[in-house]
Amino acid sequence: MDPLTILAAANTAFAVVKKVAKAADEADAVYQSLSKWAGHISDLQEFMSQEEAKPSIFKKIVYNKSATAEAFDSLVAKRKIEEQEREIKSMFYVGALNHLGIKGYKEFIQQRRLIKAKREKDLYQQMRRRKAFFYNTMMGSAITLVLTILVSMIWYLIDMIKEASS
């Protein structure tokens, strides 16, 4: 997916957040709508961070857009995210979500931070497990190879001793 498609999905989810916030006093419906919006924003931010990551040494480097178009897409997405963040904050303080109050906004931010920290922790743990798996696989292969060579040499020596004694 390109960033503009993801941004369009985030904008649609944000429009739903606004409608639900105005129509519903129930916090669950508001938080579900915010959750969908946050998911799209997270996808967009992940997509944008992947563009900045170094490409694999085995992958052919291909650019789908010009540098100018990519810069504009990125700039538009960042500005739109900032604008929506400000609007959500104001919705909690004085807008349609003021029945949830400042406490509701702080809970929303706190949960988002906790989830982000957990995801980062999970990512780093997965990287360590993957590294350990490859290390263990390589060591196991090396040990198996060395043992195979040793057993073959011992078998060859025993066979030579038998032939020499007969």
Side-chain angles (χ1 to χ4, degrees), residues 132-155:
F133 172 77
F134 285 121
Y135 176 78
N136 292 338
T137 301
M138 294 299 288
M139 291 306 287
S141 299
I143 290 171
T144 302
L145 180 65
V146 168
L147 287 176
T148 303
I149 291 171
L150 284 174
V151 167
S152 298
M153 288 174 61
I154 291 171
W155 186 264

Side-chain angles (χ1 to χ4, degrees), residues 45-64:
Q45 289 172 334
E46 178 64 27
F47 180 82
M48 289 168 41
S49 72
Q50 284 179 356
E51 286 183 343
E52 296 170 4
K54 292 182 181 180
S56 169
I57 59 172
F58 301 109
K59 192 174 182 181
K60 183 178 178 181
I61 298 175
V62 178
Y63 298 107
N64 297 330

Side-chain angles (χ1 to χ4, degrees), residues 1-4 6-7 10 37-53 74 77-85 112 116 119-120:
M1 292 180 83
D2 66 303
L4 293 180
I6 299 171
L7 184 60
W37 170 80
H40 291 302
I41 294 300
S42 177
D43 292 344
L44 180 59
Q45 289 172 334
E46 178 64 27
F47 180 82
M48 289 168 41
S49 72
Q50 284 179 356
E51 286 183 343
E52 296 170 4
S74 178
K78 285 179 184 178
R79 296 286 189 253
K80 194 67 175 175
I81 290 171
E82 289 171 1
E83 176 187 319
Q84 289 176 353
E85 289 274 351
R112 188 164 66 175
K116 186 176 180 181
R119 287 181 180 179
E120 285 178 4

